[in-house]
Amino acid sequence: MVVRIRRSAATAVLPLLFFHLLSAFHGPVFSAQVFWFCGCCCRSLGAANCCASMFVTWGAHIYEDSQTGNALDLLKRASEMIKVKRHREAVGLLNAAIEADPNLSEAYQQRATAFLHLCRFEDSGKDYKKFLELKPGTSSVEKDLSKSLQAQDALNSAYSHFDSGDHSKALDYINKIVLVYSSGCLEAKILKVKLLLALKDYSSVISESGFILKEDEDNLEALLVRGRAYYYLSDHDVALRHYQKGLRLDPEHSELKKAYFGLKNLLKKAKSAEDNAAKGKLRVAVEDFKAALALDPNHTAHNVHLHLGLCKVLVKLGRGKDAIDSCTEVLNIDEELVEALVQCKDHIHVEYYSTGIPHAMFVRADWQRGEAKLLTEDWDGAVEDLKIAAQKSPQDMNIREALMRAEKSLKLSKRKDWYKILGVSKTASIAEIKRAYKKLALQWHPDKNVDNREEAEAKFREIAAAYEVLGDEDKRVRYDRGEDLDEGTGMGGGGFNPFGGGGQQFTFHFEGGFPGGGFPGGFGFNF
């Protein structure tokens, strides 16, 4: 009896349980129909065996139906993610959809599209091919597969041109193909900012790397390249902040460490040079400036300041030729860099434009090179440089004073050098001047140079004019001061004529004549 009660209970309970489960999935009407069918079967097969069999059969149907519905829901959600360019999240949803329904072709197509945007080209190609297996001949997908292959080839070509130094060509591949088909390709974006840095387009580097960091603020490559852009604009404080942030994320990142400590060393060397120059330790300062310049010859925006500082120190040391070389480096600054500084004025934080540093820098370079050319007695070059500096900064009295000195030196250089004509130094005594004059007068007297009398007369007049100035103490002092002695001194257009009229009179007389002959009739030679 007990056993029969239990079997009766099972006969009653199992159909009710099955009905409850069906109601949860398919609703009461459909479940009632199944329950009636189950009741009929139970009378012939027995309730327990009948309902167990029905439960397995319909349970399998219910699971399959629920999985298909789940896959379609995931596909719909993934489509929304792709529309807002959240491709990585879309891939996760599509992975689940394909796992739920391995034959859902649209899931393969959408995942391939997401992979393409993320430049996962091999995965993209596999999914496009899987879709074409499920739905052969779909032309739109065949075109998308072709785009994926083109983008992959273009990215490889961009790397190849980057390695060979053809940065413009590499950038074309990135902009015109890769990022057109794979707009979310982080790898291509990083390569792009590296190419822009190599092309010295620092403004674009800052902008493009900024977009990357908005998506991923901890991207080490973006922090490094953006820091380098600020570095080459000589905005060292901002560059250091980028390097420091990267190193906090990865203290052992070799490129960030190299950039950070390299910049710190450069700033240390530059400060040492400036401090030694200010203290008057000029020779030590020269070595410090040279050491700082050697650290990064490509850092033009900063090196112009180092070259200018070196030029000023070299001028003070009287090393004119070396000073000219340093100042010329400043004035030969690449026009592209000047343009880059202008373009980046909204990005950089140094006071290039609020204080006019580039303008003042070039003014000082012209001025200092002019001073250096005075040291090398390049009077024309000195006047030219100092005029340019004076035009750029007309209120600077130091430049005007230097220009006046240069113009005076140029004027003096164009007059005859009486010391040179007599072959004496500027410190020669009056006795040395007289001896030199007597010797040259005898050598070039026209009567002694019959075969080249015209040349001798010209030379003799020049020698006599030199002695007229240098043999007179007052005239010599005025000549040394650079005063104009043209009037009444034979230094103007009329010249000095030792053979008559005006000025000192000279009488030549040589007893027994000159060796090897003599002047016919003889002359008196009196001083």
Side-chain angles (χ1 to χ4, degrees):
M1 179 64 66
V2 175
V3 174
R4 230 180 301 151
I5 290 173
R6 288 179 179 176
R7 291 183 64 182
S8 298
T11 302
V13 170
L14 286 174
L16 290 171
L17 177 62
F18 190 42
F19 176 79
H20 176 73
L21 292 171
L22 288 174
S23 296
F25 284 101
H26 292 281
V29 176
F30 176 76
S31 303
Q33 293 172 347
V34 173
F35 185 68
W36 173 84
F37 177 75
C38 181
C40 295
C41 292
C42 287
R43 284 192 291 272
S44 60
L45 298 176
N49 292 336
C50 174
C51 289
S53 176
M54 290 296 294
F55 185 83
V56 171
T57 302
W58 284 101
H61 167 73
I62 292 166
Y63 176 77
E64 181 180 353
D65 187 55
S66 65
Q67 289 294 90
T68 301
N70 188 41
L72 292 172
D73 180 61
L74 290 167
L75 180 65
K76 182 179 179 181
R77 290 166 58 194
S79 298
E80 296 298 322
M81 292 294 103
I82 289 175
K83 286 180 182 178
V84 295
K85 297 182 179 181
R86 294 166 63 177
H87 299 106
R88 287 182 178 81
E89 294 177 42
V91 168
L93 292 169
L94 291 164
N95 288 340
I98 291 170
E99 184 178 353
D101 184 358
N103 293 318
L104 188 59
S105 58
E106 289 81 0
Y108 288 104
Q109 181 184 9
Q110 290 199 19
R111 192 170 70 172
T113 300
F115 280 146
L116 175 57
H117 280 281
L118 297 172
C119 60
R120 291 174 58 176
F121 301 117
E122 291 186 6
D123 293 329
S124 175
K126 289 177 182 178
D127 276 359
Y128 280 132
K129 290 175 182 177
K130 180 65 177 178
F131 177 92
L132 292 171
E133 287 177 11
L134 297 171
K135 291 187 176 182
T138 307
S139 60
S140 61
V141 175
E142 289 175 344
K143 289 179 181 179
D144 289 338
L145 175 58
S146 176
K147 290 178 182 179
S148 178
L149 295 173
Q150 288 180 53
Q152 184 174 16
D153 289 341
L155 184 58
N156 291 334
S157 296
Y159 274 115
S160 178
H161 286 292
F162 177 62
D163 293 337
S164 65
D166 190 353
H167 303 125
S168 296
K169 187 68 174 178
L171 191 59
D172 282 343
Y173 277 108
I174 294 295
N175 284 333
K176 295 179 180 179
I177 301 177
V178 181
L179 290 178
V180 172
Y181 296 149
S182 304
S183 60
C185 182
L186 179 60
E187 181 182 357
K189 291 176 181 179
I190 293 295
L191 179 57
K192 179 178 179 177
V193 294
K194 289 180 179 179
L195 289 166
L196 291 169
L197 185 70
L199 291 168
K200 299 181 180 180
D201 188 354
Y202 304 124
S203 176
S204 295
V205 173
I206 292 169
S207 297
E208 295 293 331
S209 58
F211 295 141
I212 296 172
L213 291 169
K214 282 182 181 179
E215 296 178 11
D216 179 10
E217 64 178 1
D218 294 336
N219 188 291
L220 296 179
E221 289 295 312
L223 287 169
L224 174 62
V225 178
R226 200 164 198 252
R228 282 177 172 164
Y230 280 112
Y231 166 79
Y232 282 117
L233 288 170
S234 207
D235 195 349
H236 295 144
D237 288 341
V238 179
L240 283 172
R241 288 203 292 271
H242 280 74
Y243 299 153
Q244 287 169 335
K245 181 176 180 179
L247 288 171
R248 283 195 295 270
L249 296 168
D250 182 2
E252 298 305 317
H253 193 287
S254 60
E255 289 299 313
L256 282 167
K257 286 173 67 176
K258 182 179 178 181
Y260 176 77
F261 289 110
L263 177 51
K264 294 288 283 186
N265 191 31
L266 174 64
L267 296 177
K268 181 180 178 181
K269 285 287 185 184
K271 188 176 187 307
S272 176
E274 291 166 359
D275 288 347
N276 283 318
K279 294 175 183 177
K281 299 179 180 179
L282 302 183
R283 289 177 176 79
V284 179
V286 167
E287 297 306 314
D288 285 341
F289 275 121
K290 288 182 176 179
L293 285 166
L295 290 175
D296 188 355
N298 296 320
H299 192 0
T300 312
H302 185 62
N303 288 351
V304 289
H305 297 279
L306 297 176
H307 279 297
L308 181 59
L310 177 59
C311 177
K312 292 170 68 175
V313 173
L314 291 169
V315 167
K316 290 179 181 179
L317 288 171
R319 293 167 58 178
K321 185 178 182 303
D322 293 333
I324 290 172
D325 292 340
S326 288
C327 277
T328 300
E329 288 289 340
V330 178
L331 296 170
N332 286 344
I333 183 173
D334 196 317
E335 292 181 1
E336 292 181 4
L337 176 62
V338 176
E339 186 175 346
L341 290 170
V342 173
Q343 291 175 349
C344 294
K345 63 184 178 182
D346 295 329
H347 293 294
I348 59 179
H349 298 273
V350 291
E351 298 178 351
Y352 273 106
Y353 294 89
S354 60
T355 61
I357 288 179
H359 174 77
M361 177 179 64
F362 295 136
V363 170
R364 290 197 298 270
D366 283 312
W367 172 21
Q368 291 300 318
R369 191 170 71 169
E371 294 279 13
K373 287 180 177 179
L374 285 174
L375 294 173
T376 61
E377 299 186 357
D378 178 6
W379 316 121
D380 287 301
V383 169
E384 181 181 358
D385 282 348
L386 290 167
K387 277 185 176 178
I388 293 173
Q391 288 171 359
K392 292 177 180 177
S393 184
Q395 304 304 318
D396 194 315
M397 296 304 296
N398 290 321
I399 294 176
R400 292 177 62 184
E401 186 273 331
L403 176 58
M404 291 174 63
R405 284 190 286 111
E407 289 176 333
K408 180 178 179 180
S409 297
L410 177 61
K411 181 179 179 181
L412 293 177
S413 71
K414 293 183 181 298
R415 70 178 184 175
K416 290 184 177 180
D417 187 343
W418 301 131
Y419 290 103
K420 186 176 181 180
I421 289 170
L422 293 182
V424 296
S425 70
K426 293 182 179 181
T427 59
S429 65
I430 190 64
E432 290 173 325
I433 292 171
K434 286 182 177 181
R435 282 196 297 272
Y437 168 62
K438 179 178 178 179
K439 177 182 177 182
L440 292 171
L442 293 174
Q443 178 183 346
W444 289 99
H445 196 285
D447 291 344
K448 186 174 173 57
N449 295 270
V450 179
D451 294 337
N452 58 337
R453 189 176 183 86
E454 289 186 5
E455 181 187 358
E457 285 182 357
K459 196 75 173 175
F460 190 80
R461 288 191 184 95
E462 191 174 56
I463 293 165
Y467 183 69
E468 180 188 17
V469 174
L470 300 184
D472 184 297
E473 189 64 30
D474 180 59
K475 289 182 179 179
R476 182 182 178 184
V477 170
R478 291 170 58 201
Y479 173 78
D480 288 344
R481 285 202 300 259
E483 295 182 15
D484 191 350
L485 303 180
D486 286 355
E487 293 185 6
T489 64
M491 296 178 66
F496 172 75
N497 184 0
F499 300 108
Q504 290 178 275
Q505 300 296 315
F506 301 94
T507 303
F508 298 91
H509 178 73
F510 300 98
E511 298 292 340
F514 286 101
F519 296 122
F523 289 89
F525 194 108
N526 300 316
F527 291 96

